[in-house]
Amino acid sequence: MRSRKSSQDEAPGLPTDRQLGLSWDVPGLLAGVDEAGRGPLAGPVVAAAVILDDAQPIRGLGDSKVLSERVRERLFDEIRAKALCCCIAEASVEEIDTLNILQATLLAMRRAVEGLRLRPHKVLVDGNRLPVLQVQAEAIVKGDAKVAAISAASILAKVHRDRLCLALHEAHPQYGFAGHKGYPTPDHLAALRTHGACGAHRRSFAPVREVLLERWP
């Protein structure tokens, strides 16, 4: 399930390692959060939030970056079927260019958590920064390899964004999005120099900005 963006969405403030001054764990539902797409030159940044069901364990969860595409696709469907609830959210290219990629990522994470059907008692976020949330939260470096719920979130975010890149490839085949997924590979940079930027490219990212300046100084 994907959260809807609202005109009332605001850029998140500066996160802290724990939210709302809470420094103790509480029993209840635990949500894992991760993102995909901070580094690419094009497309939205995607975040997912997942609350797993202890009664329906999922085998093979792990950091989405080290799993094969076939395994990620299988786990994507299993997570959606077995999790108590999950939400996939995005921050658009326009929001990335307006807010910067870090703040847009935190915004997508906040949308994913707020889009969950069930309210978690605690949120565990991969990395070292947190979105502003109304529940206790903790940042865990390399959490996608340590915490099952974060691993599940990383898989949902990665597969969802890869599918978006396939759609981008169909719309703009000259850039090769199906292969590089928007990352600044030599082929992608060469295509940028040849064809210029399309509407999906992030204007605030240096390689795209440089191409635009070369074409329209």
Side-chain angles (χ1 to χ4, degrees):
M1 161 174 127
R2 190 171 174 191
S3 70
R4 294 183 179 177
K5 289 184 264 190
S6 164
S7 59
Q8 297 180 350
D9 282 325
E10 298 175 354
L14 292 176
T16 58
D17 283 344
R18 289 182 183 271
Q19 300 286 339
L20 305 179
L22 297 175
S23 59
W24 61 88
D25 287 335
V26 293
L29 298 176
L30 180 71
V33 177
D34 203 359
E35 55 76 25
R38 283 185 64 174
L41 306 179
V45 62
V46 176
V50 179
I51 299 177
L52 294 174
D53 185 353
D54 291 339
Q56 298 190 81
I58 300 172
R59 298 178 59 120
L61 291 175
D63 179 359
S64 63
K65 296 184 291 295
V66 302
L67 300 174
S68 69
E69 182 178 357
R70 179 181 60 82
V71 171
R72 287 196 301 266
E73 290 282 347
R74 175 181 61 79
L75 287 171
F76 181 92
D77 293 336
E78 189 172 359
I79 294 164
R80 295 291 297 268
K82 291 183 175 180
L84 288 177
C85 62
C86 56
C87 179
I88 301 171
E90 303 173 6
S92 68
V93 170
E94 293 76 16
E95 288 170 326
I96 292 169
D97 287 339
T98 300
L99 300 174
N100 75 45
I101 185 58
L102 172 60
Q103 294 301 321
T105 300
L106 296 174
L107 176 58
M109 287 179 170
R110 193 187 85 196
R111 285 172 173 160
V113 173
E114 292 178 349
L116 289 170
R117 178 177 57 85
L118 303 173
R119 180 182 173 90
H121 283 74
K122 185 174 183 179
V123 175
L124 301 180
V125 180
D126 182 58
N128 60 6
R129 301 294 294 270
L130 291 171
V132 172
L133 301 170
Q134 297 303 311
V135 295
Q136 183 184 5
E138 181 179 352
I140 301 179
V141 175
K142 297 184 179 178
D144 48 5
K146 300 174 182 176
V147 179
I150 298 178
S151 299
S154 76
I155 291 166
L156 292 191
K158 169 68 173 168
V159 172
H160 180 82
R161 192 176 191 284
D162 283 355
R163 291 175 179 178
L164 291 178
C165 287
L166 292 178
L168 275 179
H169 182 80
E170 292 180 3
H172 307 282
Q174 67 270 32
Y175 296 101
F177 287 116
H180 54 65
K181 304 299 191 296
Y183 283 92
T185 64
D187 286 346
H188 189 186
L189 294 174
L192 260 177
R193 289 190 292 269
T194 300
H195 304 290
C198 71
H201 280 104
R202 301 170 179 177
R203 267 62 179 167
S204 57
F205 278 45
V208 180
R209 186 170 63 247
E210 290 167 4
V211 165
L212 293 173
L213 287 174
E214 289 172 3
R215 289 179 165 248
W216 297 281

